[in-house]
Amino acid sequence: MIDIIIINALKKGNQSAYKILYERTIAYVYSIVRRFVDVEHVHKDIIQDVYAKIYININQFDSDKGTFKFWMRRIVINQCFEYFRREKRNAPIVSIDYIGDMAQPEPVDFADVDKDLLLRAIENMPKGYKNVFLLVEVEGYDHSEVSQITGVSEVSSRSQLSRAKSWLRKELNLRTKASKANGFK
Amino acid sequence: MDSNNKLRELFEHDKTNVPDFLDWSEMETGIKEKMVIMDSAKGSIKRREWLRRFFFLSLGLLFLIPLTCGPEEADRANNSNVEEQQNLVGLGLTREAYEEKSTIVSSPVSSIPPPVGSTDASQDVINPYQLVLAGTTDYRRESIAPLQVVTELSKDADSRVTRSFASLPSAPSKLLVMIDSDLQRQEYNGPLPIEKNKHRSNMISVFASPGTWNTGWGSNTPINVALEKELWSLGFGLNYTRKIKKGLLLNIGFQYQRMERRLDWNDLIEEYTYVLTDTIIGFEHNNVTSELSSIIGDTTFTVYAERQVTHFNRSEVIQIPIGIGYSRSFGRMRTNVIGGTALGVWKKHKGISLQDGFIEDYSIRPVFNTDVSFSGFIDIGVSYHLSEQISIGTSFMIQKEYSNWSYLDDVSIRPTVFNTKLVVSYSL
């Protein structure tokens, strides 16, 4: 995605490197922002914040600690959650009384699910579930990292994930049945 | 696990079409504006934090000064009549005693009617001392010969004092006249002259400091080192110096320092186009007349060219130095050595530099990482007192930055500044 030459040029403040980095990464950044934040008119603002932070903090990037992609992804996700905090839209966190679900979440096999159906279902997932689900299942963060990013406790994070999977399972069943019914018609 | 991987792959390949409003041309201005806002917010928070610390440190030091000054030292520092006091000690009296006695001599005592049949001259002489010294035991501390007299006399206690009052002559005695005239002379002539080596301790100084500097590159030097040359630059400032005790000084100030460099570099321009106007661009041969005539016109040439560029780059810093030093006076001369640390609270860089082949404009992105910096300094100076309060002097200051100015991890920049100060001081 981004090679060390561009990063070094960025560290030296080379102006043309800004553009190169932007053009090579914007699709990836936009896909993450769009996934987390469904309010379209704020995407531009969030993305500007993301790149401003990347450029300002580029000297803090250490290639020995991880790839640039992961470093950048963390900035993008943090910025999305910064937006939630600003808008106070991250409030509907599910209570932790649902420990039963959390203990042994039923596995969901996405292999056989239709791609579009799955994407649409995730898009419609309730906000609190969706964030944790995306962070854990898609971005690969563990619950302690999710806790740092979202500001909820690890227990809540596990609970949210469990509920998200249950919700997704039901939603996929419903949508599959509906699409089959439509197909028969 | 397998299921999760598939989910991740699904999102990895979710190549969303980037909308037009996210085009670089649309976003560039917004991103740069946000960078400026974030940078200034970050810088101002950091700067505010340092200033807050520095302010409280300075405040603490200023509060400590009075504690370190003993009462006698403080008196000496603040009382311009130190020598007058010393002269009075020779007479066995303090200044207060002198003033008190002067009052006694001039008004109440002299107005007492003369006693009948009292002609004892020795009593006349002793009476004033007895009156003052026996009544105030504090005077005994500093009296030498008169104290012995008083000690003997004071054995008689208050009755004799009272009797002394009664035995004062109508005309003032010789000693009374002498002391009185001494006091009057002081009133008319002003304070006694101060010895040359007793200069006042606290002073405010203004200075101009032409100086030069050394960028202080570490072992790894970038390309522009060979191209840049440091220049003599100007600085100025204000200092407050306070004597703590026995030659020890505390110094705090404000200092503006400019550091300038000259960058000379050559650039090879592969396609340099220039226009020749009204020049011969060809010849026309007339076959009939065999005449050769020139064709005048404009033409363009594209050539290799070498460009020579000179930039004058400038860095500016405002510093708050705090130092401790030692001073010593020799007649009208005073020497001092001060060492300490300075906080650079604001810096500005203007100019252009070459960094690994790229042209860097300082105004867009400073090459130096200098939001806040710390430096150590040592200042050696000498001054000459033109009058009691005003002195002029010169000093040489070496200042070394502790902070690394470089943005790059593998390059260190710790400049050293050499200043020659011209100082005018006013003693408080």
Side-chain angles (χ1 to χ4, degrees):
Chain A
M1 184 190 253
I2 291 293
D3 54 33
I4 199 73
I5 297 169
I6 295 172
I7 290 165
N8 284 341
L10 274 170
K11 285 184 176 179
K12 289 168 191 165
N14 186 281
Q15 296 290 304
S16 51
Y18 288 7
K19 188 182 177 188
I20 295 168
L21 175 93
Y22 181 86
E23 286 174 346
R24 288 197 190 175
T25 56
I26 182 62
Y28 178 66
V29 170
Y30 179 58
S31 70
I32 299 174
V33 173
R34 197 167 146 269
R35 212 178 293 156
F36 280 93
V37 182
D38 50 12
V39 187
E40 202 170 318
H41 70 269
V42 299
H43 288 169
K44 187 176 178 179
D45 196 44
I46 292 172
I47 290 170
Q48 282 178 346
D49 282 332
V50 165
Y51 280 96
K53 280 189 177 169
I54 290 171
Y55 296 148
I56 285 174
N57 297 305
I58 191 70
N59 282 306
Q60 291 174 14
F61 168 68
D62 184 354
S63 56
D64 295 338
K65 291 180 183 170
T67 64
F68 180 78
K69 186 181 173 181
F70 289 143
W71 183 77
M72 186 174 72
R73 186 183 66 176
R74 186 62 185 261
I75 292 178
V76 179
I77 290 171
N78 281 345
Q79 198 56 45
C80 292
F81 279 85
E82 178 66 35
Y83 164 75
F84 293 141
R85 273 188 281 274
R86 263 201 317 250
E87 299 295 311
K88 296 188 190 301
R89 288 183 56 179
N90 205 24
I93 297 293
V94 181
S95 67
I96 59 168
D97 55 359
Y98 220 64
I99 301 293
D101 263 4
M102 182 199 77
Q104 283 188 341
E106 286 180 41
V108 184
D109 190 5
F110 302 113
D112 302 329
V113 182
D114 180 64
K115 178 189 161 188
D116 292 333
L117 208 64
L118 182 62
L119 286 174
R120 238 175 292 136
I122 292 172
E123 212 166 288
N124 291 327
M125 198 182 270
K127 198 78 205 161
Y129 300 162
K130 187 180 166 185
N131 288 341
V132 175
F133 179 81
L134 288 173
L135 287 171
V136 176
E137 298 295 329
V138 179
E139 305 299 342
Y141 289 115
D142 60 31
H143 287 286
S144 65
E145 288 171 310
V146 172
S147 169
Q148 283 175 10
I149 294 168
T150 60
V152 301
S153 67
E154 280 188 48
V155 178
S156 293
S157 167
R158 287 173 198 279
S159 169
Q160 295 275 30
L161 180 66
S162 175
R163 287 186 161 212
K165 284 181 176 175
S166 300
W167 183 91
L168 191 61
R169 202 181 312 114
K170 283 177 196 167
E171 185 70 10
L172 286 173
N173 283 336
L174 281 174
R175 283 175 187 262
T176 311
K177 281 175 190 171
S179 64
K180 276 178 184 171
N182 287 337
F184 283 128
K185 282 176 188 174
Chain B
M1 191 68 181
D2 190 41
S3 169
N4 285 353
N5 285 340
K6 279 179 184 168
L7 193 66
R8 278 170 208 164
E9 277 172 26
L10 175 70
F11 279 97
E12 277 293 308
H13 295 103
D14 171 28
K15 294 290 177 196
T16 318
N17 286 331
V18 179
D20 289 342
F21 67 82
L22 293 180
D23 191 67
W24 173 248
S25 56
E26 296 278 331
M27 298 286 278
E28 186 181 5
T29 315
I31 292 171
K32 286 185 175 169
E33 279 172 3
K34 291 199 179 229
M35 280 172 76
V36 171
I37 293 166
M38 286 178 191
D39 233 358
S40 61
K42 201 174 160 186
S44 65
I45 288 168
K46 210 192 274 181
R47 210 171 294 138
R48 221 177 299 139
E49 179 63 22
W50 278 114
L51 274 175
R52 199 172 60 83
R53 285 182 196 175
F54 196 75
F55 175 75
F56 283 112
L57 180 72
S58 311
L59 209 64
L61 282 171
L62 285 173
F63 273 118
L64 279 175
I65 294 167
L67 297 177
T68 54
C69 292
E72 193 178 342
E73 284 295 330
D75 274 346
R76 280 169 186 266
N78 297 319
N79 188 357
S80 62
N81 293 327
V82 174
E83 286 306 309
E84 185 183 343
Q85 195 173 13
Q86 287 173 349
N87 288 342
L88 297 175
V89 169
L91 291 172
L93 295 171
T94 61
R95 178 181 171 78
E96 289 80 2
Y98 227 143
E99 284 167 354
E100 192 179 336
K101 205 173 76 56
S102 167
T103 314
I104 291 164
V105 167
S106 57
S107 52
V109 176
S110 55
S111 63
I112 295 170
V116 179
S118 174
T119 53
D120 188 357
S122 65
Q123 209 175 16
D124 287 348
V125 173
I126 293 164
N127 272 340
Y129 280 100
Q130 189 182 12
L131 176 68
V132 175
L133 298 173
T136 316
T137 51
D138 285 350
Y139 302 141
R140 294 179 188 179
R141 281 186 311 185
E142 298 180 16
S143 55
I144 307 163
L147 181 65
Q148 291 167 357
V149 176
V150 170
T151 312
E152 288 168 14
L153 292 170
S154 61
K155 285 174 187 169
D156 289 338
D158 292 340
S159 60
R160 182 166 288 202
V161 174
T162 314
R163 200 169 59 238
S164 300
F165 263 105
S167 64
L168 278 169
S170 57
S173 71
K174 286 177 185 175
L175 184 59
L176 276 176
V177 170
M178 194 173 76
I179 293 169
D180 195 26
S181 65
D182 253 7
L183 285 169
Q184 282 173 6
R185 193 172 64 226
Q186 280 179 29
E187 280 170 19
Y188 292 129
N189 298 342
L192 291 170
I194 294 172
E195 280 180 26
K196 296 294 185 250
N197 61 352
K198 295 284 180 187
H199 303 306
R200 295 174 182 193
S201 306
N202 304 331
M203 59 172 70
I204 287 181
S205 314
V206 286
F207 62 85
S209 54
T212 186
W213 65 296
N214 175 325
T215 321
W217 300 103
S219 53
N220 192 358
T221 53
I223 189 170
N224 58 336
V225 175
L227 308 173
E228 290 192 19
K229 190 182 172 189
E230 289 83 13
L231 301 173
W232 278 79
S233 318
L234 188 70
F236 56 85
L238 186 73
N239 263 341
Y240 172 70
T241 309
R242 181 164 185 140
K243 185 178 175 183
I244 303 173
K245 57 179 174 182
K246 286 192 177 176
L248 278 178
L249 301 173
L250 183 76
N251 181 280
I252 186 165
F254 162 89
Q255 188 173 325
Y256 166 84
Q257 181 69 51
R258 187 186 277 184
M259 290 172 270
E260 288 169 307
R261 295 171 307 289
R262 177 183 165 143
L263 170 70
D264 291 293
W265 59 288
N266 296 333
D267 188 21
L268 194 66
I269 303 169
E270 291 186 5
E271 292 185 354
Y272 181 73
T273 306
Y274 63 96
V275 181
L276 291 175
T277 54
D278 297 333
T279 189
I280 298 168
I281 54 172
F283 294 94
E284 197 176 42
H285 183 254
N286 190 326
N287 290 330
V288 180
T289 61
S290 297
E291 280 181 359
L292 191 68
S293 57
S294 56
I295 304 165
I296 307 293
D298 298 344
T299 185
T300 56
F301 280 90
T302 304
V303 292
Y304 281 104
E306 190 183 23
R307 186 163 65 129
Q308 288 194 335
V309 186
T310 299
H311 288 288
F312 290 93
N313 300 332
R314 180 192 296 173
S315 300
E316 291 167 304
V317 55
I318 289 178
Q319 295 177 315
I320 300 177
I322 288 188
I324 289 180
Y326 179 78
S327 83
R328 193 162 177 187
S329 299
F330 305 96
R332 283 172 174 263
M333 301 291 286
R334 180 203 285 260
T335 56
N336 58 57
V337 180
I338 296 172
T341 187
L343 170 72
V345 289
W346 177 78
K347 285 189 173 64
K348 191 175 178 182
H349 304 285
K350 274 184 188 171
I352 283 174
S353 181
L354 289 182
Q355 297 283 320
D356 295 337
F358 293 110
I359 294 174
E360 296 282 359
D361 188 340
Y362 289 178
S363 60
I364 295 172
R365 180 146 181 119
V367 173
F368 298 135
N369 180 15
T370 52
D371 287 339
V372 174
S373 71
F374 274 103
S375 57
F377 69 88
I378 184 158
D379 186 319
I380 302 168
V382 60
S383 61
Y384 180 81
H385 277 261
L386 296 175
S387 71
E388 190 189 327
Q389 288 183 310
I390 295 173
S391 60
I392 55 168
T394 182
S395 72
F396 180 70
M397 186 171 94
I398 300 177
Q399 196 171 355
K400 178 78 181 170
E401 286 283 332
Y402 302 138
S403 324
N404 184 3
W405 284 22
S406 174
Y407 269 117
L408 310 176
D409 294 336
D410 54 344
V411 176
S412 76
I413 308 173
R414 290 190 170 83
T416 310
V417 184
F418 307 94
N419 271 324
T420 311
K421 289 184 183 175
L422 303 170
V423 190
V424 178
S425 302
Y426 180 83
S427 301
L428 302 171

